[in-house]
Amino acid sequence: MDYRTTKAFDHFLSGLGQEARAEALRALAREVEDLRSLPPGAGRAREVHRRVDAAQARFAALKPEVVAQVRCGRGCAHCCRLWVGVTRDEAELLAASGAGPDPFRLEAQRHWTSPSDFIGRPREEASCVFLGPDGACGVYPDRPAICRAVLVASDPEFCRGGDLATRITAVINPYAEVVVSAALTLDAEGDPPPPAGRHLAHALERGRGSSPAPPPPGS
């Protein structure tokens, strides 16, 4: 099993002692097997989201002084212009949500294969396919697990600017990272998780009853 599916979780593991690291990996393995026992599809995506939300609530109860520093809010949108791993289950959920993705971004991102594809792209092209012109998420109730797990303690003005990633201060919730990494590990089977456009485009095509070409390898 390739457990290193999110940079945040890998970074979290690197800061642990040997015993704590081993326990975190055991928790991750248990989560993967538990999710594997559920039927794939939109229902499993909703269950993953429920678990991430519960992990956020647990973290808030245990670390209120940390969560109090979180500055995320409608319109900041910095994280909505980065690579977001979306599972096949989440793509099915988003396709069924009825929300309309931006067709220009969807067509561009369906061909991207790695986070490096985002580098140097215009902000409009690299933004999430569901990000509105006002910087608000168009699928907030069904947003991916990674989006639910992200907590940022930086000044929101940094997020509204250009390439200011070095100023972004992330708050890592280990409970949420276990769930997110488990879902991506189960989906990716050792391959890097694709961005939203690749899975989503094929899910939308299936939903329309078309006969699309087979997905690219690893999609």
Side-chain angles (χ1 to χ4, degrees):
M1 179 181 67
D2 181 5
Y3 58 83
R4 294 178 297 178
T5 52
T6 69
K7 289 183 178 180
F9 189 75
D10 205 24
H11 177 71
F12 164 66
L13 289 176
S14 68
L16 298 179
Q18 184 174 357
E19 184 175 346
R21 180 185 176 91
E23 175 53 35
L25 291 176
R26 286 193 292 270
L28 178 58
R30 290 193 298 268
E31 192 73 21
V32 169
E33 290 308 308
D34 194 30
L35 292 176
R36 186 174 279 128
S37 70
L38 302 176
R44 186 164 65 180
R46 290 191 183 93
E47 173 59 18
V48 169
H49 295 172
R50 185 195 67 78
R51 295 184 186 196
V52 174
D53 292 346
Q56 295 288 46
R58 179 185 181 191
F59 189 63
L62 292 174
K63 298 287 185 180
E65 73 284 358
V66 175
V67 176
Q69 301 174 35
V70 173
R71 305 289 300 280
C72 302
R74 181 186 178 96
C76 51
H78 175 84
C79 301
C80 305
R81 297 184 174 92
L82 303 173
W83 176 279
V84 175
V86 174
T87 67
R88 291 169 178 81
D89 293 340
E90 289 177 324
E92 296 291 343
L93 177 60
L94 290 170
S97 71
D102 181 277
F104 166 74
R105 282 174 257 162
L106 182 64
E107 181 58 29
Q109 295 179 26
R110 68 182 299 176
H111 302 295
W112 297 358
T113 59
S114 75
S116 63
D117 289 320
F118 281 72
I119 298 175
R121 302 277 185 174
R123 288 166 63 87
E124 171 59 25
E125 184 178 346
S127 296
C128 172
V129 297
F130 289 111
L131 184 66
D134 58 351
C137 176
V139 289
Y140 192 79
D142 294 322
R143 67 197 185 281
I146 288 181
C147 305
R148 293 169 183 269
V150 169
L151 299 174
V152 174
S154 308
D155 187 328
E157 287 302 316
F158 294 163
C159 297
R160 296 188 180 98
D163 184 13
L164 298 172
T166 56
R167 299 186 185 182
I168 304 302
T169 303
V171 177
I172 296 177
N173 175 355
Y175 309 109
E177 290 301 329
V178 166
V179 179
V180 172
S181 194
L184 291 176
T185 295
L186 179 61
D187 182 78
E189 297 297 341
D191 295 323
R198 297 184 70 193
H199 277 339
L200 183 61
H202 297 298
L204 288 171
E205 287 167 343
R206 288 195 299 274
R208 286 194 295 263
S210 62
S211 299
S219 67

